[in-house]
Amino acid sequence: RANIGTVVHEMIQHMIFGNEVVMEVNWWDPIKQEPVLITREMMKYLMSFQKFWNDYGVTLEDILACEIGMLDLTPRKKGVEPITSKDYKYPWGGSADLVTYLNNSKTGKKQLWLIDFKTGKEYADQHQLQLISYAILFNATSTKKIKRIGSLYLKSGWRKAPTYKLKEYDFKPILWRKAFDFWKFWAKVNKHDTPKFPMELPEAISLYGGNDGGE
């Protein structure tokens, strides 16, 4: 399921940049590095996004960023050179699916949104925290400031016409900071505060020479 979401994200970015997704042509999976069949489910997700795009009258000129990786390297303490992630003011990273201006139906003015695409179920608490963390990073590294955050829940179960749900979440940085502080405490107690990597394996293996000192 996660792989389908990754491929759909890639195809949406492709469409935003003015390109066409053709169902009969296989898509290239950037994670597995192999061709992927474009299924009816994927195409219905894309039609769901297309309806959102048309409903809100979004244009390429409204887009500020798409699939942008974010990382802030500001030191936690002024004048102290960061050595580990703990020494940074914002020791986390993220990737924003879409940063765009959308028309405010009440005022008629455009406001800057940070939107995350979802092809799965709604997990409001987790998604709100995710978006808040992204918006904090974006605001720290850009002269433009996020006004609103939301998840765009794309649908593939519709029958007659594409549907979607743009769910707005309150941008309350204090929620993320409390959750992050709790995670740091949990990680330290459970000794998960530093990343662990699997051991490196040999590229080839044999019982008779060629590796590990064999003859």
Side-chain angles (χ1 to χ4, degrees):
R1 301 308 307 173
N3 195 53
I4 291 175
T6 299
V7 172
V8 170
H9 277 62
E10 290 284 333
M11 290 192 288
I12 289 175
Q13 182 183 29
H14 190 70
M15 292 169 61
I16 288 175
F17 290 152
N19 300 303
E20 186 179 46
V21 175
V22 182
M23 192 169 182
E24 287 77 14
V25 179
N26 286 344
W27 188 261
W28 184 256
D29 185 338
I31 304 300
K32 292 188 175 182
Q33 292 292 296
E34 63 184 20
V36 176
L37 179 67
I38 299 178
T39 64
R40 287 180 56 84
E41 178 187 8
M42 293 177 182
M43 188 59 72
K44 291 178 84 170
Y45 282 133
L46 298 184
M47 293 174 68
S48 179
F49 180 79
Q50 182 188 53
K51 179 170 175 54
F52 155 77
W53 182 273
N54 292 334
D55 285 351
Y56 281 85
V58 185
T59 67
L60 190 58
E61 288 70 30
D62 294 321
I63 307 296
L64 201 61
C66 178
E67 297 294 340
I68 179 175
M70 298 175 296
L71 187 68
D72 183 59
L73 301 179
T74 303
R76 187 168 62 88
K77 294 183 179 180
K78 189 175 182 179
V80 178
E81 186 70 20
I83 298 176
T84 70
S85 62
K86 299 175 184 178
D87 301 322
Y88 291 104
K89 186 176 181 180
Y90 305 113
W92 65 85
S95 180
D97 290 340
L98 185 65
V99 179
T100 184
Y101 288 97
L102 294 181
N103 286 322
N104 186 316
S105 58
K106 294 182 179 179
T107 64
K109 297 181 179 179
K110 292 186 176 182
Q111 291 183 307
L112 192 60
W113 281 70
L114 190 152
I115 297 174
D116 197 63
F117 307 146
K118 300 296 184 185
T119 55
K121 296 179 180 180
E122 293 184 31
Y123 297 100
D125 293 338
Q126 294 93 321
H127 294 166
Q128 181 182 17
L129 289 174
Q130 178 188 13
L131 284 160
I132 291 173
S133 73
Y134 289 176
I136 290 173
L137 282 176
F138 186 89
N139 289 343
T141 55
S142 173
T143 55
K144 304 290 185 180
K145 304 304 176 185
I146 296 296
K147 299 293 185 182
R148 305 171 75 173
I149 58 175
S151 289
L152 178 61
Y153 296 99
L154 304 174
K155 309 294 184 180
S156 65
W158 50 268
R159 293 176 179 246
K160 294 183 179 180
T163 59
Y164 65 87
K165 179 180 180 181
L166 178 60
K167 182 177 177 62
E168 182 175 7
Y169 293 103
D170 290 334
F171 179 37
K172 296 182 178 180
I174 188 64
L175 295 179
W176 169 254
R177 296 187 186 281
K178 288 184 176 181
F180 188 62
D181 286 342
F182 177 79
W183 176 85
K184 288 190 294 183
F185 171 77
W186 176 90
K188 184 176 182 180
V189 170
N190 292 277
K191 299 182 179 179
H192 286 293
D193 53 342
T194 55
K196 294 178 174 58
F197 302 97
M199 64 177 292
E200 292 188 13
L201 301 178
E203 295 182 1
I205 188 168
S206 170
L207 296 179
Y208 303 103
N211 59 75
D212 199 30
E215 297 182 359

